Amino acid sequence: SEGAARAVVESTNKLFRGSLAGATFSSETDAEKLKWQRSAVATKYRDEYLSSRTLPRSIENPAAKSNASAAADAASPAAPSHSPRLMITSGESIVSARPQLNLANATDINDEIQGVLDGLSGKSSKSKTKKHKKPTRELVLAAAQQGAEASRSLPPPPGQQMVRKRNYEPVKPQWHAPWKLMRVISGHIGWVRSLAVEPGNKWFASGSVDRTIKIWDLASGTLKLTLTGHISPVRGLAISSRHPYLFSCGEDKQVKCWDLETNKVVRQYHGHLSGVYSLALHPVLDILVTGGRDSVARVWDMRTKQQVHVLSGHTSTVSALECQEADPQVISGSMDSTVRLWDLAAGKSMATLTHHKKSVRALALHPTEFGFASASSDNIKQWRCPKGDFVQNFEGHNAIVNSLSVNSDGVVFSGGDDGSMRFWDWSSGHCFQNADTVAQPGSLDSEAGVLCSTFDRTGFRLITGEADKTIKIWKEDDDATEESHPIDFRP
């Protein structure tokens, strides 16, 4: 009714007086400004009616109309009779259970709406020939409907933009052949804690809790040499691709450089305050990085034995290190559950990745892509360099992950403390093989644990060092096909 519409108009003007104070509704303005003013006011009324999707019962019930309202409706032939139940569903269209508002009888709907706007703004219309009707409820609704159509082309106000959510399409994993055990090598009398393959891919070295370093022929698995000198378990090994040097570190706080031509120690790097757990060589510079229980990573000049930097920031044991040519040139993983990216030139931390909840025991760089993975007992995470952007989780290896390795084909291997082994697809994070290592006959079941791993230079052989004192070599199953071993991918 007219009384209800007037009450709504007054309440709306009180609510939005501040936002409408600067608006002018003069017919002398240009068409674009007038269009904006119409849509602005219409949107205000649309929002006012949207607060209640169903009209009050006093308006809904035709018996509740006052005699004055009925007389006013009868006196205005151009104003259509509204339906007893009017609902606004979307803010853009007016839906009723009975026939909708019929505005065809109005002489000029634009003049009617303009009259409503002029009456609301307190200004007289330019056209004095026509006497505009009072702003009845139907005209206000019509103005709202027309304003809503005009406002579709206007940008939404700040903070109210609607963005369509992209449909997540999981990456289909690449098919990889399953891996099987190829050879078991025995010789150590303690846990095998570290492995390294030489650049020529002819032999590899293993470090053990028995305090020895053994050199093995990769093709036949025969022992070629045993190096003694450490007085505690050997925890890290690295073979230089630029010099005939083998580097080792152990829990005896010592970092040694072995000359492979004389098979003797030629340099020692002193400075760690406790056991040294990890070691990495820079691929281009003559730099060695070591980390250990003193919660720092130390950068050494390979030739002068001088300590170049002390990368401090971790609050617990530095358990994993990786070096690469481009920044971040040093990546460290720690028992404080963080991964840090280091600026080698400045000796400072570039970024700290705090996504893991448990100790980070292993890191692995991708051979060809500019990214790396980190392993913890909660999950394995993939990162993108140089900023350390998170890519995805490799979920499903519910164990303490001691070792992580990646080859150029995109196969990620993770070895657990309980002997569990997982093979993942790098691009999709899909686990395509779930296996368990088998302890040597005569060993305890608790000795079925993978402590270290590495791929050879070709990526076709996987070498694991285990708690049953053996070294196992794995290879892909040559007889497997996509038909015999289909991808069990369920996104």
Side-chain angles (χ1 to χ4, degrees):
S1 66
E2 185 174 345
R6 187 176 299 279
V8 171
V9 169
E10 292 176 356
S11 64
T12 305
N13 283 332
K14 290 179 182 179
L15 282 174
F16 303 109
R17 184 171 296 154
S19 58
L20 292 177
T24 58
F25 301 97
S26 173
S27 59
E28 297 178 356
T29 57
D30 55 88
E32 290 296 326
K33 191 172 182 180
L34 186 60
K35 178 181 177 182
W36 179 86
Q37 291 170 347
R38 287 183 178 180
S39 60
V41 176
T43 304
K44 297 289 185 183
Y45 286 109
R46 181 188 62 184
D47 294 342
E48 176 78 13
Y49 279 106
L50 274 177
S51 60
S52 176
R53 297 179 67 87
T54 307
L55 294 180
R57 292 186 178 277
S58 59
I59 302 178
E60 181 180 300
N61 188 3
K65 290 184 181 180
S66 62
N67 295 332
S69 300
D73 290 339
S76 56
S81 60
H82 58 273
S83 60
R85 185 176 182 84
L86 256 162
M87 296 177 64
I88 300 177
T89 56
S90 65
E92 296 182 357
S93 60
I94 303 171
V95 182
S96 63
R98 296 190 183 182
Q100 295 187 1
L101 299 175
N102 183 14
L103 299 176
N105 296 329
T107 56
D108 189 354
I109 186 59
N110 292 327
D111 289 343
E112 296 290 342
I113 296 175
Q114 183 62 44
V116 173
L117 298 177
D118 292 342
L120 294 176
S121 61
K123 295 193 176 185
S124 59
S125 176
K126 183 179 178 182
S127 174
K128 307 234 177 183
T129 57
K130 290 186 180 180
K131 184 178 180 182
H132 295 292
K133 301 176 179 62
K134 295 181 180 181
T136 61
R137 178 173 171 275
E138 286 77 11
L139 288 178
V140 170
L141 290 176
Q145 185 175 7
Q146 186 172 355
E149 295 175 355
S151 65
R152 290 175 185 172
S153 60
L154 297 176
Q160 298 183 17
Q161 293 91 343
M162 298 296 292
V163 180
R164 181 183 296 276
K165 184 178 179 182
R166 294 183 179 180
N167 294 328
Y168 172 69
E169 296 181 1
V171 179
K172 187 176 180 180
Q174 179 184 353
W175 183 83
H176 300 282
W179 291 69
K180 63 180 182 179
L181 183 62
M182 170 186 169
R183 180 178 290 122
V184 179
I185 302 174
S186 300
H188 281 292
I189 57 174
W191 292 358
V192 182
R193 297 304 307 253
S194 54
L195 291 166
V197 180
E198 67 104 7
N201 207 45
K202 293 181 180 179
W203 53 269
F204 67 95
S206 62
S208 171
V209 175
D210 61 11
R211 308 187 299 273
T212 65
I213 302 169
K214 291 184 182 291
I215 309 297
W216 309 87
D217 185 75
L218 184 58
S220 62
T222 57
L223 179 65
K224 299 178 71 173
L225 186 67
T226 300
L227 302 174
T228 59
H230 281 281
I231 58 175
S232 285
V234 181
R235 296 295 297 265
L237 288 174
I239 302 172
S240 174
S241 58
R242 308 171 68 244
H243 307 286
Y245 293 150
L246 165 68
F247 295 87
S248 63
C249 64
E251 294 180 10
D252 51 8
K253 310 180 194 175
Q254 297 183 11
V255 180
K256 296 178 182 290
C257 174
W258 303 78
D259 188 340
L260 295 175
E261 294 176 349
T262 61
N263 299 329
K264 293 181 179 179
V265 177
V266 294
R267 296 184 186 91
Q268 295 197 54
Y269 305 88
H270 298 284
H272 276 286
L273 306 177
S274 189
V276 188
Y277 283 11
S278 53
L279 181 148
L281 290 177
H282 197 282
V284 176
L285 306 175
D286 289 339
I287 281 177
L288 170 69
V289 185
T290 57
R293 287 183 59 190
D294 52 5
S295 305
V296 297
R298 300 180 188 270
V299 182
W300 310 88
D301 188 318
M302 188 185 296
R303 294 185 175 274
T304 65
K305 300 182 287 186
Q306 295 296 317
Q307 188 171 272
V308 180
H309 288 304
V310 178
L311 307 179
S312 58
H314 286 294
T315 58
S316 187
T317 302
V318 179
S319 54
L321 283 170
E322 291 290 345
C323 288
Q324 58 184 359
E325 295 182 24
D327 283 331
Q329 297 182 57
V330 179
I331 305 171
S332 62
S334 171
M335 296 286 189
D336 62 7
S337 75
T338 64
V339 177
R340 284 182 179 261
L341 315 180
W342 301 91
D343 184 349
L344 185 59
K348 295 181 180 179
S349 176
M350 294 171 54
T352 304
L353 312 178
T354 60
H355 298 58
H356 284 290
K357 299 185 179 73
K358 301 293 177 112
S359 300
V360 180
R361 292 175 176 247
L363 295 172
L365 292 173
H366 194 282
T368 55
E369 294 185 16
F370 197 30
F372 67 97
S374 59
S376 177
S377 57
D378 51 5
N379 50 36
I380 301 167
K381 295 182 183 293
Q382 181 183 337
W383 312 89
R384 184 183 298 110
C385 292
K387 295 183 179 180
D389 299 320
F390 174 74
V391 179
Q392 62 181 342
N393 279 326
F394 296 169
E395 297 179 350
H397 199 169
N398 301 318
I400 298 174
V401 180
N402 287 324
S403 180
L404 202 62
S405 300
V406 187
N407 70 2
S408 55
D409 290 336
V411 176
V412 182
F413 168 79
S414 58
D417 207 49
D418 57 355
S420 57
M421 302 167 59
R422 301 289 185 273
F423 293 87
W424 315 80
D425 176 52
W426 171 269
S427 59
S428 63
H430 171 66
C431 180
F432 66 88
Q433 186 177 358
N434 185 338
D436 290 290
T437 187
V438 180
Q440 275 290 91
S443 301
L444 300 174
D445 290 338
S446 60
E447 290 184 312
V450 180
L451 302 177
C452 56
S453 68
T454 182
F455 283 99
D456 70 350
R457 298 294 174 173
T458 64
F460 297 146
R461 297 289 184 270
L462 172 68
I463 309 170
T464 59
E466 306 194 3
D468 61 357
K469 308 169 189 174
T470 65
I471 301 167
K472 294 185 174 68
I473 300 180
W474 310 75
K475 69 172 185 177
E476 290 182 330
D477 188 355
D478 297 331
D479 298 330
T481 61
E482 294 190 41
E483 289 75 20
S484 63
H485 294 80
I487 299 175
D488 185 18
F489 181 54
R490 298 169 184 171

